[in-house]
Structures are given as C-alpha cells and as structure tokens.
Amino acid sequence: MDTSSYNSQIRQLRILAEAALTQYDIGSARLTMLSHGKHAVFRVTTYSRPGQQAVESATRAEDGRFALHLCQKDGFDRALWNSELQWLAALKRDTDLLVPEPVATRDGALMQEVQIEDIDQECICLLLRWLPGRSVDWGLSPTLFERVGIFLARLHQYAKQFIPPEGFVRPRWDWQQVFGDETVLDPDFAATRCDGLIGGREYRIFSEVAERARDEFAVIPTSPEYYGLIHGNFRQDCYLFYKGEVGAIGFHKCGWNYYLADLSITLEGVAGRNDEEALEQALLRGYERVRALPDHYEEWLRIFKATRLLEHINSLFRSNDLALRASAPSQLTLALEWLGVFVHSSFAGRSFPGKA
C-alpha cells in the first residue's frame, strides 16, 4: 500500500471522527483508532482539561469511554443499522444484560452524517458506550462457558417477547441461503468458484445434508418459543467477561433465526478442542438454568451444526481472500469427514469438527 495514501486516509478519518464528536454531549475526548476502512472504529476516552470541571451529563459513560463507528455512506444500509441500534437500546432499557448502549446526539439522533470540506468521503457515524471486559479463548473453562449459556438464554428469553418497532429491518435466515443458488450445491457455482474440489462424492454428501435439513426445518416450529431475534455471531471475540458477568458485543449479524442456530454458532467457536464435549455440556447446562431446551434439541442441534458447516464452506468459496481460499482444501476435508458420518448415522453424538 502507498504509505502516503494510507497516512492520508487515517488523517481524514480522524478529522471526520473529531467533527462527529462535536455533536455529542461528552466533553473533551481522546481518539484511538482500532480499525479503519469502510467501517472504521475509534475508542473515545473522555477527560477534563486543567481547571475544567468534569462533564456531568446523561450521556457520559461510567468510565469515560465510548466506541465511535464511522461507516462510508456509499452502500450504508440506514434501516439495517438503525434496527440494530433499536435492538440494543431495547436490551438496555428492558434488561440488565451487558450490551453496548447507543448514545444519541444532542438532537436525539442515533446516527448522523458527517462531511467536511476538502474531504471527499462522507460518513455515517454512531456512538456506543464502551463495554468493559476481556475475551477468553484457550483459557475458556466449563465454568465460564456455563455463564455464556446463561447469557444466551436470557437474550433469547427477551427476544421471545420483543415487539419490533415500525420499520425494524434485520436479515431473516432462509434455507435457500445455504443450499440454493451460489452455494456448493449449485453446479455453476461449484464449477466456477470451487477450484475443482467439488466432485460427485462431495455433491452427494452435500445433497443428503440438504435433504435432511429440509425435512427437519419443515417440522421445527417457528413460533416465538423457538424462533426470534438472535445475536448471530456469539463466539469468543463477541462475548466478554467482566467482574464475573458476561457481556456481548458485535451485534452486526443479529437477525431472525432459530435460537438453536445461535447455540450452534457458539459451539462452533470451541469446535475441535480436547474439552469440546465438556464445554458443550456446560453451555447447555447454563442455558437450561434460564429456559428449557426443546424436546428434540439434540437432533435439531446436529442439523444446525451441519448447516453451519455448509455455510462456512460456502463462505470460503465465495471469498476473494487468497489466504481463506488457500485453506479451503483442508477445511473441506474436515467438513466432509463430519458430514459423511452425519448423513450415514443416527443422531447418536459425535463431535463437531474444528476449523483449520
């Protein structure tokens, strides 16, 4: 990358971020860039200038920290983002779950447009209270994972009663997204995107998974007890531990889906570990401390695990990232090993495969 171009982009993002912050009642603040690009994120740390009295306002975070998101206006889906913010605001208003709280501007808006003279790009910005905590991966124990299950159950319990406001728009999961066009079951897609790795054997296994999934999804109820707004990406980098509590960030993939799909995503995050079985039992034990699992959850959860594997393989072959595509052969081998057993066996348990 051209260093001068990169430095120019960073300077422009910082100028836009500083301009955005003038619309919030948070006082003086320092900016630390956490990511850049089409969706840039800054950590915002408020402070008092020498001789200046600390700002006292309803928007000031307890520890003076926020997360400022700057999104390029081109391609920005305002309805989708606004709905995510409405969901977070509802969770903060109606529960004591630890989630980021949207912060409104002085005018009461949850999003604002920012444009500066002599800077070409125009951004949409939004501000969230900083959620403290740390993510845990290899140090994740059954005790900690049980708390994750409790959090997820409480989230689903609230989702069951959530009434979306007018104009609320979040993605709705559909069977065709995994098994229809532009997937490994699409002959044209397999021929043009899958590097010759999808042959007759692979196609037969994927087709049998699709047939079983179609039959099962036809009988799994879509009533609020089973289906609602889920987190959609509740893995290690999206749940945090803070003072014995679990918090959640990264709600960008929240959407309408089965609650068991959320559990399968969380379990996917610990796939392939030596303690995978103990962790799965802990997660489900924690979940059932809050809300009961369906009578057929063991069979249905395996369906969702199989579906997640297909989603993962589809995403690998859709990607233009060279590193991801290079991992496709080994990832495909792991997936086929598990899926082959899945379609030729009963629902008696078998571990979910890890990702290379």
Side-chain angles (χ1 to χ4, degrees):
M1 176 186 286
D2 186 333
T3 303
S4 61
S5 175
Y6 171 80
N7 290 337
S8 175
Q9 181 191 36
I10 300 304
R11 281 196 300 271
Q12 290 183 9
L13 284 171
R14 184 171 289 276
I15 291 170
L16 288 165
E18 290 171 348
L21 287 183
T22 64
Q23 304 302 311
Y24 296 95
D25 188 18
I26 63 172
S28 302
R30 298 184 182 89
L31 290 168
T32 303
M33 178 173 281
L34 303 179
S35 65
H36 62 89
K38 292 185 177 181
H39 179 184
V41 181
F42 288 85
R43 182 172 63 237
V44 179
T45 306
T46 61
Y47 66 94
S48 298
R49 297 180 184 275
Q52 178 186 42
Q53 187 174 4
V55 175
E56 295 293 340
S57 75
T59 60
R60 185 174 178 85
E62 183 181 347
D63 63 354
R65 292 189 296 172
F66 303 84
L68 178 68
H69 295 253
L70 287 178
C71 304
Q72 289 186 9
K73 187 176 180 180
D74 184 28
F76 183 84
D77 192 324
R78 185 179 290 271
L80 204 65
W81 274 88
N82 189 60
S83 298
E84 178 186 332
L85 295 175
Q86 289 176 319
W87 171 235
L88 289 173
L91 286 169
K92 289 299 295 184
R93 181 188 66 238
D94 299 334
T95 77
D96 60 358
L97 292 172
L98 298 180
V99 300
E101 181 179 4
V103 178
T105 64
R106 291 190 185 92
D107 296 334
L110 293 180
M111 295 183 291
Q112 61 163 318
E113 295 186 15
V114 183
Q115 188 172 24
I116 302 295
E117 189 176 357
D118 298 328
I119 294 181
D120 291 336
Q121 62 177 311
E122 186 174 357
C123 288
I124 308 294
C125 81
L126 52 103
L127 188 69
L128 300 171
R129 294 182 190 274
W130 188 267
L131 195 69
R134 63 187 182 94
S135 60
V136 178
D137 189 1
W138 290 108
L140 193 62
S141 66
T143 299
L144 291 177
F145 213 40
E146 184 172 340
R147 295 175 192 169
V148 173
I150 292 172
F151 180 97
L152 203 53
R154 293 183 63 201
L155 183 70
H156 295 167
Q157 194 75 352
Y158 178 72
K160 189 178 76 167
Q161 67 186 48
F162 175 68
I163 300 175
E166 184 177 356
F168 189 89
V169 179
R170 290 306 301 175
R172 188 173 293 274
W173 185 87
D174 182 79
W175 182 87
Q176 288 294 324
Q177 296 170 5
V178 185
F179 303 105
D181 295 338
E182 300 297 313
T183 73
V184 291
L185 280 159
D186 177 353
D188 290 337
F189 179 85
T192 58
R193 296 291 299 177
C194 297
D195 306 323
L197 295 172
I198 307 299
R201 170 180 172 269
E202 291 77 17
Y203 188 81
R204 283 193 299 274
I205 291 175
F206 294 151
S207 296
E208 290 182 45
V209 172
E211 182 178 355
R212 178 170 289 187
R214 182 184 57 217
D215 292 343
E216 291 296 330
F217 289 134
V219 299
I220 301 177
T222 55
S223 63
E225 192 66 36
Y226 300 84
Y227 187 98
L229 202 57
I230 69 168
H231 182 281
N233 193 35
F234 206 52
R235 294 161 60 101
Q236 286 91 318
D237 56 345
C238 286
Y239 50 79
L240 306 176
F241 295 93
Y242 181 69
K243 295 183 177 180
E245 298 291 330
V246 174
I249 58 176
F251 280 80
H252 306 322
K253 293 186 178 181
C254 68
W256 302 101
N257 203 339
Y258 296 95
Y259 300 130
L260 285 176
D262 233 7
L263 282 166
S264 72
I265 292 167
T266 304
L267 290 171
E268 183 184 36
V270 298
R273 293 174 41 148
N274 293 334
D275 57 351
E276 178 186 352
E277 184 177 349
L279 287 171
E280 177 168 339
Q281 291 174 355
L283 181 80
L284 299 179
R285 183 168 60 248
Y287 193 93
E288 288 206 288
R289 287 178 59 181
V290 177
R291 69 190 309 262
L293 288 162
D295 290 340
H296 304 286
Y297 80 88
E298 291 171 313
E299 299 106 68
W300 291 346
L301 192 55
R302 281 174 57 81
I303 287 290
F304 285 105
K305 288 179 177 181
T307 302
R308 283 293 299 173
L309 272 182
L310 262 295
E311 287 181 313
H312 178 67
I313 296 302
N314 287 334
S315 67
L316 285 178
F317 288 121
R318 287 171 183 153
S319 175
N320 293 319
D321 185 293
L322 295 179
L324 279 178
R325 292 189 67 85
S327 71
S330 60
Q331 302 266 5
L332 181 62
T333 298
L334 281 171
L336 287 168
E337 179 185 354
W338 192 88
L339 291 172
V341 173
F342 169 77
V343 298
H344 293 115
S345 69
S346 68
F347 282 114
R350 181 177 171 86
S351 297
F352 194 38
K355 303 277 174 57

